[in-house]
Amino acid sequence: VRKLLSGPQYYEAHAGVYVGLNQVYYVRIMGKTPDGRLVITNPPEPGQKKSVKQVEAVVEPDLVYPLVRGRDVKKWYTDFRNRFIIIPHHTNGQPIEHMELKIKYPGVYNYLLEFSGELKRRSIKPFISLRKMIEGGNEDAQNKAIELLSDRFYIVDNIGSYTFAPYKVVWKRIAGAITGKAVSFACAVITPINGQPVIVDDSTILVNTDDVNEAYYIAGFLNSLLCRTIIAAYSYELRQETHVVDFIKIPKFDSLNKTHIKIVELSKRAHELSNLKHSGPSVTERYNVDKELERVEREINLVVAELFGLSEEDLREFEKLMAILSGEEPQEESEEVEPVGEPIITVSNTLLQPNTPAQIE
């Protein structure tokens, strides 16, 4: 375990965007206008605590991005549905200035203006500090805070250039309910959809990169049995936050390292198989996909173990530990019996006549 926890830290994780009022920023695309603008609506969000009016609006497409939430993330797979998010910020994370938004993106501005009262009351960090200035500052500070709150009523939180990275490795921030057993960590790679970066919300943790192979390498590494066992062993059951990459030291990706490239190839294959698995195949196909995915995951475990100079015996110890953490009985090792002599194989009745009933055993 120490081998995976020592060494320099090359990767940083971030929480996804926090908007403070999902029902305004999370939208569905209903269609397009002849000039390329989007017709959107803001449907009610499941489990919403506040309600806002549902409207239809025509907005510029530049600030509307595909959205993935924590509940959409599974091992090797993200379930993207027709859900998008409005982000009124530049791709460096800075808010678009009030007048620029109003002039350049009037559709987006007017849509957000419909909810300006609710948006100003959001509990996002920038607004909390402005409200403190309004309540306790001198007159000049109060006036400045009121002006900023009024001008920037539309901004969002937890945002930076990493938000707009083309490739992200993502996992759920909250793994599940308290059960007293380990909740298995699971991550997946997100790639652009229709040329746009996918935005993840604050129920999701991300590691960003500009290299697609690096993304698959990180996901393959973190989804290995070794990493998932360590995460299950130390983390509070509910939370799988940004600390995952603070503790587990992922070696820096090297495109010339054959072992790293092997992890990339296997990770891509695991993503392909998981996509097939979730595409609704027949029972037989699903069985074959599951078996193949199991084989690929086993190979990933072996390659990651090899990266740290660990043996198959070490890997079996990780399997035992994961079983214990999950509340299962670790498998007893059975003694292998050497076969005596050559196996005897008998095949009978191999000739089947057309249109003649026959019994095959």
Side-chain angles (χ1 to χ4, degrees):
V1 169
R2 286 195 192 98
K3 288 186 176 183
L4 279 81
L5 302 184
S6 57
Q9 181 180 343
Y10 295 104
Y11 297 102
E12 187 178 358
H14 305 271
V17 170
Y18 178 59
V19 298
L21 198 59
N22 298 353
Q23 304 93 291
V24 172
Y25 291 89
Y26 294 5
V27 297
R28 228 167 235 146
I29 295 174
M30 312 292 287
K32 282 187 178 181
T33 61
D35 62 357
R37 290 183 299 163
L38 303 176
V39 180
I40 62 160
T41 186
N42 57 325
E45 283 295 309
Q48 66 185 31
K49 294 176 183 175
K50 300 172 186 174
S51 59
V52 301
K53 61 186 174 183
Q54 186 174 352
V55 301
E56 279 193 18
V58 177
V59 300
E60 297 75 21
D62 310 53
L63 305 181
V64 181
Y65 298 88
L67 171 69
V68 162
R69 303 155 300 168
R71 74 186 71 174
D72 304 324
V73 180
K74 297 174 177 59
K75 195 176 181 187
W76 311 116
Y77 176 78
T78 51
D79 184 16
F80 171 71
R81 297 174 184 270
N82 180 22
R83 193 176 297 273
F84 295 80
I85 185 171
I86 293 175
I87 302 287
H89 287 241
H90 296 292
T91 53
N92 62 1
Q94 292 302 308
I96 298 172
E97 291 299 329
H98 188 99
M99 286 311 295
E100 183 184 353
L101 186 68
K102 194 173 183 179
I103 293 166
K104 197 171 177 182
Y105 307 103
V108 170
Y109 177 81
N110 289 326
Y111 168 75
L112 293 172
L113 190 63
E114 289 251 7
F115 308 98
S116 61
E118 293 103 318
L119 295 182
K120 287 177 189 175
R121 293 193 291 271
R122 287 176 295 155
S123 296
I124 61 173
K125 290 193 290 289
F127 287 3
I128 291 169
S129 56
L130 286 174
R131 287 193 197 99
K132 284 180 181 175
M133 287 171 64
I134 292 169
E135 289 167 8
N138 59 45
E139 190 175 343
D140 287 344
Q142 286 177 334
N143 290 336
K144 182 65 176 172
I146 289 167
E147 184 184 342
L148 278 171
L149 191 60
S150 181
D151 270 2
R152 297 194 168 190
F153 66 89
Y154 48 80
I155 67 171
V156 301
D157 203 4
N158 286 2
I159 191 164
S161 57
Y162 56 84
T163 307
F164 301 92
Y167 308 108
K168 301 177 180 78
V169 179
V170 297
W171 60 89
K172 289 180 185 180
R173 189 174 191 171
I174 297 176
I178 297 174
T179 62
K181 298 175 185 176
V183 175
S184 185
F185 172 87
C187 68
V189 171
I190 288 180
T191 58
I193 293 176
N194 297 327
Q196 278 189 306
V198 176
I199 306 296
V200 299
D201 75 358
D202 67 308
S203 65
T204 314
I205 304 296
L206 70 98
V207 175
N208 59 293
T209 174
D210 293 329
D211 183 341
V212 65
N213 284 339
E214 186 170 39
Y216 281 109
Y217 162 77
I218 295 168
F221 189 92
L222 288 177
N223 271 339
S224 71
L225 175 70
L226 284 77
C227 291
R228 290 188 301 109
T229 305
I230 292 171
I231 294 164
Y234 87 82
S235 64
Y236 172 46
E237 189 176 12
L238 275 176
R239 296 280 180 178
Q240 295 175 348
E241 306 268 1
T242 57
H243 52 63
V244 166
V245 295
D246 298 337
F247 289 118
I248 294 175
K249 303 302 193 294
I250 307 170
K252 177 66 178 166
F253 175 63
D254 179 1
S255 60
L256 300 178
N257 184 309
K258 289 181 180 177
T259 307
H260 290 195
I261 294 303
K262 183 70 174 171
I263 293 171
V264 171
E265 290 166 354
L266 290 166
S267 177
K268 284 181 178 178
R269 180 61 179 151
H271 279 83
E272 287 169 7
L273 290 165
S274 196
N275 275 305
L276 280 173
K277 183 177 174 179
H278 289 91
S279 64
S282 67
V283 174
T284 307
E285 288 171 327
R286 193 159 58 244
Y287 172 79
N288 292 334
V289 167
D290 284 344
K291 296 302 285 182
E292 174 66 5
L293 184 56
E294 193 178 301
R295 185 195 67 75
V296 170
E297 287 182 334
R298 176 70 184 168
E299 202 168 339
I300 287 171
N301 296 338
L302 288 167
V303 176
V304 173
E306 179 191 325
L307 196 62
F308 288 92
L310 299 171
S311 66
E312 282 197 55
E313 189 179 342
D314 296 324
L315 193 55
R316 281 195 291 273
E317 291 300 317
F318 274 94
E319 287 169 353
K320 284 183 191 176
L321 176 55
M322 191 57 159
I324 292 165
L325 291 167
S326 304
E328 301 166 5
E329 287 292 325
Q331 285 186 350
E332 295 293 330
E333 290 185 26
S334 57
E335 292 184 12
E336 291 185 12
V337 180
E338 289 291 326
V340 180
E342 290 295 318
I344 298 168
I345 300 170
T346 305
V347 181
S348 59
N349 191 25
T350 57
L351 184 63
L352 300 181
Q353 297 296 334
N355 303 316
T356 305
Q359 183 72 24
I360 299 177
E361 187 175 303

